Amino acid sequence: MTVREALLEGRNTLSSNESPYLEALLLLAKVLKTTKEKLLAMGPDELTTYEQEQFHSFIKSREQGEPIAYILGYREFYGLKLHVDHRVLDPRPDTEILVEASLELMQDKGNFLDLCTGSGCVALAIKDNKPQWDVHACDLSTEALDVAKMNSQNLNIEVQFHHSDLLSDVPGKYNLIATNPPYLSPQETQDRIKAGWVEPAMALDGFGSDGLELIRKIIPQAIATLHSKGYLLIEAAPWQMVEIAKLFHEVGYINIQQWKDLSGQVRVTGGMRP
């Protein structure tokens, strides 16, 4: 089997995915330990039996719903190459909106906290773009923190990490807190697991019938952890944003703002501590 034949076979197998040829290209590039750009010039080259078997194994895993980032071992996020695996949520492109909203609000210098950091993607992107800021990140999962710390070391981007149940064990106060917390209901979480999702349930389940129980805890906790005129930004599902904005108002935040994703749906809501 040649490289070209393998790519076509992989594309056909993954045809129901959004980008089947690109996924096949990335998976074969991993097998051959090369870049996707170089792979395109290797069309007539023959694969060894071992390379074919490894490629077929990757394609099968992807066909069965394994996130491609888990198979590749990395995810590109806001210009950074992050290690990701089964210990953390696979960072979504929509979460880059949370980074954009944060950067939009940031002044020359301050303290930033990435709450429910997972892979560390938001904190590391912020520190990479605002090196003068003091950037912290926290998570309840010690396994997620291990991944985030690995990414910090690999990228040589300094972030201070804390093991904390939401904001209970986070030191100090902040000018900006950003979070992409779990926001699925327990039923939605179980449905996705039954459907083959392999991401950690802790990163998905926001509790409560509407998935907002953790967010109902975060909003009042954060107002006590922010400096005056500090902001809290929350990423969640577009259909939850009306209720989240209402919660901001009820707790006493002012200057409520919202940011839309590339599809035009509200993805992030934020408010200022008076």
Side-chain angles (χ1 to χ4, degrees):
M1 175 180 283
T2 65
V3 166
R4 183 178 294 109
E5 289 169 343
L7 290 174
L8 292 175
E9 180 185 279
R11 181 197 65 186
N12 292 338
T13 303
L14 302 176
S15 60
S16 61
N17 292 2
E18 186 175 342
S19 304
Y21 187 77
L22 176 60
E23 290 188 355
L25 193 66
L26 290 170
L27 293 173
L28 189 55
K30 178 177 174 66
V31 170
L32 298 180
K33 298 180 175 60
T34 187
T35 66
K36 64 181 187 295
E37 291 80 13
K38 290 181 180 178
L39 187 64
L40 289 170
M42 296 167 59
D45 293 2
E46 292 283 341
L47 300 179
T48 67
T49 300
Y50 174 76
E51 290 167 345
Q52 291 181 48
E53 290 174 350
Q54 192 174 25
F55 179 64
H56 288 150
S57 175
F58 287 164
I59 290 292
K60 183 177 180 180
S61 294
R62 183 67 187 117
E63 185 184 19
Q64 293 175 343
E66 182 92 353
I68 190 167
Y70 286 177
I71 303 171
L72 295 173
Y74 71 89
R75 165 67 70 184
E76 298 280 352
F77 181 87
Y78 216 79
L80 302 176
K81 189 174 183 178
L82 300 168
H83 172 81
V84 294
D85 58 36
H86 292 82
R87 293 173 289 177
V88 295
L89 192 74
D90 177 15
R92 274 52 169 180
D94 285 334
T95 300
E96 294 189 353
I97 306 300
L98 184 60
V99 175
E100 292 283 359
S102 298
L103 293 172
E104 182 181 318
L105 293 172
M106 296 173 88
Q107 304 298 319
D108 292 336
K109 195 173 183 181
N111 299 326
F112 176 88
L113 174 67
D114 175 17
L115 171 61
C116 304
T117 191
S119 65
C121 59
V122 172
L124 293 165
I126 291 296
K127 185 65 175 181
D128 188 48
N129 283 271
K130 292 285 186 179
Q132 71 274 28
W133 273 63
D134 183 22
V135 175
H136 296 245
C138 68
D139 206 292
L140 178 59
S141 168
T142 55
E143 290 188 333
L145 286 173
D146 287 342
V147 174
K149 290 174 183 177
M150 179 193 305
N151 282 320
S152 176
Q153 293 169 358
N154 290 345
L155 295 167
N156 196 26
I157 298 175
E158 184 177 353
V159 169
Q160 297 183 53
F161 294 99
H162 311 281
H163 179 236
S164 180
D165 185 356
L166 299 182
L167 292 160
S168 60
D169 293 307
V170 175
K173 291 196 174 185
Y174 299 88
N175 302 100
L176 180 57
I177 299 173
T179 183
N180 175 25
Y183 55 75
L184 298 182
S185 70
Q187 185 59 57
E188 289 171 323
T189 301
Q190 288 306 310
D191 288 346
R192 296 198 181 191
I193 290 172
K194 288 178 183 176
W197 282 45
V198 294
E199 294 171 295
M202 182 186 288
L204 300 170
D205 192 349
F207 302 101
S209 60
D210 56 2
L212 292 175
E213 197 60 34
L214 288 180
I215 289 174
R216 290 191 177 94
K217 293 179 179 180
I218 289 169
I219 291 175
Q221 281 187 19
I223 204 165
T225 315
L226 288 166
H227 290 297
S228 177
K229 297 185 179 180
Y231 267 91
L232 169 66
L233 298 179
I234 297 177
E235 176 191 350
W239 55 88
Q240 295 172 316
M241 286 298 156
V242 171
E243 180 63 21
I244 290 173
K246 180 181 176 183
L247 293 170
F248 271 99
H249 282 292
E250 289 175 352
V251 173
Y253 289 81
I254 60 174
N255 294 354
I256 310 299
Q257 299 184 56
Q258 296 186 315
W259 287 261
K260 294 180 179 180
D261 59 24
L262 295 176
S263 67
Q265 299 186 90
V266 176
R267 181 65 58 177
V268 174
T269 295
M272 176 193 286
R273 174 184 172 171

